Amino acid sequence: MKAKPVLVAVLVVVAALLAWRMFRTPDRLVHGRALDRREIALRVLGEHLASQTTGQAALIVANPFGQMPGQARAVYAFEEAAIRGLRSGWGDRIRLVGVDYPELTPAARRDPSSVPLPPDTTTPLSFLTAQGAWDALASKHPDATLLVSVIGLPAGLQALDCWSNPTPRFALLLPDLRLVGDAQAIAAAFKSGKIVAAVLNRPGAPPETAAIQPDDRDEFEARYLFVTATNIDDLIELFPALF
């Protein structure tokens, strides 16, 4: 008489496990693909930097939360993917000075969600770093001729010495270029060499759930725009909303 309730209980557990797998597996797949795409994007950026700035020294500016204990595993995984991509892209042609983190504001350290952000920002960390934090990084690593940021650009950019001085130069992953200024100011930053290159999301790219293409370059071209001094004017004309 007890066999039937036990069987029902087992079936309920099995059904629950199947449902968990049904809903969780796509999440894991999307997360894994996002990591792979991040590494691809940074590898392409690293290859370009190596071809244009061989022999220079680079500082990777990374997510400050990535050095704090107790964060979600994704925070650490995304930082590791970025560093791995850059290093595989530039090999030994660029010297890695190190990976460092701009200081957060006290409010951001206490509770990042309490910091007011522009509703359309694509780089929240632009508004969570302390005033002068990026200048402090540049001063701490004076031999770094390149700042390779995987967290965008800081708010108040124009007031920073590291921006107004000839060096360091910048290379950027998925920045909000509107922090530089209007389209004319953005174009000038690329043409002057202050921004060596930037990777932007391509409007109309396939959804994140799409499978990654076998060839990394094909995947990059489908999902990203690679911005340099040579194509900035064309891209501003084609994708004005990005600038």
Side-chain angles (χ1 to χ4, degrees):
M1 296 295 291
K2 294 182 179 179
K4 187 173 181 180
V6 169
L7 178 60
V8 171
V10 169
L11 291 174
V12 168
V13 170
V14 170
L17 287 172
L18 288 174
W20 182 85
R21 291 185 63 185
M22 183 183 299
F23 288 103
R24 291 288 297 175
T25 300
D27 290 342
R28 291 200 301 273
L29 284 173
V30 170
H31 176 71
R33 288 169 181 167
L35 288 174
D36 290 343
R37 286 171 175 136
R38 187 174 178 85
E39 185 170 346
I40 290 170
L42 270 302
R43 185 181 306 122
V44 171
L45 179 59
E47 289 170 353
H48 177 82
L49 294 176
S51 70
Q52 299 296 313
T53 58
T54 296
Q56 296 198 43
L59 174 70
I60 299 175
V61 182
N63 184 351
F65 293 101
Q67 65 172 342
M68 298 180 181
Q71 303 298 310
R73 283 185 294 177
V75 174
Y76 309 118
F78 270 75
E79 293 308 296
E80 291 166 2
I83 295 166
R84 191 165 56 245
L86 283 168
R87 297 189 74 166
S88 67
W90 65 42
D92 60 359
R93 291 174 290 174
I94 288 179
R95 179 169 64 90
L96 178 61
V97 172
V99 180
D100 212 338
Y101 312 87
E103 181 185 356
L104 294 166
T105 65
R109 287 197 300 270
R110 288 192 303 269
D111 179 10
S113 65
S114 70
V115 179
L117 302 174
D120 60 346
T121 183
T122 57
T123 54
L125 280 165
S126 297
F127 304 91
L128 301 181
T129 54
Q131 184 177 7
W134 286 62
D135 276 344
L137 284 185
S139 296
K140 182 179 175 183
H141 304 278
D143 53 341
T145 53
L146 287 169
L147 296 187
V148 185
S149 172
V150 299
I151 60 171
L153 289 164
L157 182 66
Q158 288 74 16
L160 297 179
D161 290 339
C162 65
W163 181 254
S164 58
N165 292 336
T167 56
R169 297 194 287 168
F170 285 73
L172 307 165
L173 174 69
L174 306 182
D176 184 348
L177 289 173
R178 296 172 300 177
L179 293 171
V180 176
D182 60 14
Q184 184 176 0
I186 294 168
F190 279 93
K191 292 175 182 178
S192 70
K194 188 61 185 179
I195 301 179
V196 179
V199 176
L200 301 180
N201 282 319
R202 177 182 288 274
E208 289 295 329
T209 52
I212 292 180
Q213 300 188 46
D215 184 85
D216 284 356
R217 281 285 177 173
D218 289 343
E219 178 65 24
F220 184 93
E221 292 297 329
R223 190 159 296 277
Y224 301 110
L225 299 172
F226 198 83
V227 191
T228 67
T230 59
N231 67 359
I232 182 62
D233 288 332
D234 292 338
L235 291 176
I236 288 174
E237 183 175 352
L238 287 171
F239 305 103
L242 295 178
F243 305 95

